[in-house]
Structures are given as C-alpha cells and as structure tokens.
C-alpha cells in the first residue's frame, strides 16, 4: 500500500534564497568584531584589560577608591560656595570699590575666600610655604598620566592636611572656571562651614 499524500504539501513551496549576483541581497552581518577601531579606542580597551590583569601598586590603586556619592555631593556643594569670581564679577567689585573711594569713603577691600587650583600651587599650600596652609585638598581620580598627582596624598599625610579623592577632573575644573583641574585646595572657610 502506497503512503498517503499530504493534501497541503503543495500550498507552501520551499524556495531557497540564491545570493548570487543580481539575486537576493545578503542579510547584514554583525562585523563589529572585525572593525579596525581607531587607535584611541584600541588603547582604551587595552588599558582596561591590563588593569584587570596586572597587580596594581597601592599608591596607584588608592585612586580607584573615591568618595561615596552622597559625601562627594556635600563636598562639592560646600566647595561651590568658594568658587573664584569670574572676570565680570571682579570688574563689578572693583567698580563698586572705586565708586566708594570717589565719594571719599574709606573702603577696605576684603580678600574673598576662594578655592586654589593648580598642582604646584596646591603643593605649596599643603607644605604651608606661602604663609597659608591648606585646610582641605580635593584630588581628581582620573588624571592622566597619574604620576602628576600620585605623590600628593603622601605629601598631605606627611603635612597633616586632610585630603579626599573625588571623581572627575572635569567636575573639579567647573568649580574654578576651567576645563579640568587636577587638584583644588581650600585655605579658609566661612564660620558656618567650619564644623
């Protein structure tokens, strides 16, 4: 006895695709693995792989341990009060002083309490060379090359100055009207912040 034929066999014909010239278009392949990435991306990726595979010295490893986010937010909020004045604010302050002096009043120009920036300036403040001593030092965790700031925590410990490593040289830079800043120092604070 012959096998029973399927009545629906001819309804859907299998038509295999032909990817020859002038025929079906090949589906897009994921070629990301074979892309020749730009040099800076390759370096970034190699850097990350090396970080995971090598034993990192403690002096460098301390820069991966930054302040927790809630504490960092408080520190940046406090540091925001001591932003240096920009050119326009300085011009207004000098004009106001000049106007007072023109009226014949004696106006004492109080030096504003501001953040100090620049790695050499901060280092001299930590050591107390310029008559001022730093009360708090903020160091960026992502300085490249790291050797620029690697020695600063040791110097702060030696001189007894509190320091903290925070995320983002760009975030520090915004506090002092710069693109980036490696380290900031506070030499004085207002009475309400001294606790």
């Amino acid at each position: 006895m012959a096998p029973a034929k399927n009545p629906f066999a001819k309804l859907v014909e299998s038509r295999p695709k032909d990817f020859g010239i002038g025929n079906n278009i090949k589906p897009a392949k994921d070629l990301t693995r074979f892309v020749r990435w730009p040099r800076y991306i390759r370096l970034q990726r190699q850097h990350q792989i090396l970080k995971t595979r090598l034993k990192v010295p403690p002096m460098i490893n301390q820069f991966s341990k930054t302040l927790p986010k809630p504490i960092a937010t408080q520190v940046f909020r406090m540091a925001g009060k001591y932003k240096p004045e920009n050119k326009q604010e300085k011009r207004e302050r000098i004009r106001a002083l000049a106007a007072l002096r023109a009226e014949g009043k004696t106006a004492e120009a109080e030096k504003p309490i501001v953040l100090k920036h620049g790695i050499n300036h901060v280092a001299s403040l930590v050591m107390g060379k310029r008559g001022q001593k730093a009360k708090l030092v903020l160091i960026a965790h992502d300085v490249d090359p790291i050797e620029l700031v690697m020695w600063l925590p040791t110097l702060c410990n030696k001189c007894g100055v509190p320091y903290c490593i925070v995320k983002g040289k760009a975030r520090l830079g915004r506090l002092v009207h710069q693109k980036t800043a490696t380290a900031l120092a506070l030499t004085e604070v207002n009475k309400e912040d001294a606790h």
Side-chain angles (χ1 to χ4, degrees):
M1 191 165 148
K5 283 191 173 182
N6 186 355
F8 302 106
K10 293 289 180 183
L11 289 179
V12 179
E13 281 184 34
S14 66
R15 291 189 215 128
K17 289 189 176 180
D18 178 19
F19 297 119
I21 295 170
N23 296 323
N24 296 80
I25 297 168
K26 278 190 178 181
K29 270 188 183 177
D30 184 18
L31 299 174
T32 49
R33 218 180 119 67
F34 308 105
V35 170
R36 184 157 194 266
W37 294 99
R39 188 163 178 261
Y40 78 98
I41 292 176
R42 283 186 312 221
L43 281 172
Q44 280 174 357
R45 290 176 179 173
Q46 288 165 359
H47 191 74
Q48 287 302 109
I49 291 166
L50 272 177
K51 268 187 184 176
T52 57
R53 291 185 185 170
L54 294 177
K55 283 190 175 177
V56 182
M59 200 170 202
I60 295 172
N61 192 49
Q62 67 183 344
F63 287 92
S64 63
K65 312 256 187 299
T66 57
L67 272 184
K69 198 171 183 181
I71 298 170
T73 306
Q74 287 178 341
V75 168
F76 277 105
R77 192 176 296 133
M78 186 196 71
K81 296 178 190 175
Y82 301 104
K83 275 187 176 185
E85 56 193 3
N86 57 26
K87 287 180 182 178
Q88 187 180 0
E89 290 167 350
K90 186 175 182 180
R91 194 180 303 124
E92 287 170 8
R93 181 172 59 85
I94 291 171
R95 280 188 181 153
L97 278 171
L100 284 173
R101 287 189 183 145
E103 291 172 10
K105 296 178 184 173
T106 55
E108 285 297 318
E110 282 187 28
K111 197 173 182 187
I113 302 169
V114 293
L115 288 165
K116 313 291 184 186
H117 61 96
I119 192 75
N120 292 335
H121 190 184
V122 169
S124 63
L125 288 170
V126 169
M127 292 185 283
K129 280 189 174 176
R130 299 183 179 184
Q132 290 181 315
K133 185 129 172 121
K135 299 264 192 300
L136 175 68
V137 176
L138 306 175
I139 307 167
H141 86 296
D142 57 346
V143 178
D144 192 36
I146 196 70
E147 288 82 10
L148 290 174
V149 290
M150 199 168 64
W151 48 272
L152 195 54
T154 311
L155 182 68
C156 289
N157 282 334
K158 186 183 172 193
C159 296
V161 176
Y163 72 93
C164 55
I165 296 168
V166 293
K167 278 194 175 169
K169 59 186 178 183
R171 199 171 174 195
L172 285 180
R174 273 201 304 273
L175 289 171
V176 288
H177 311 296
Q178 302 281 329
K179 277 190 211 168
T180 58
T182 53
L184 303 179
L186 266 171
T187 50
E188 294 175 62
V189 288
N190 295 328
K191 286 179 183 176
E192 66 265 14
D193 294 325
H195 61 277

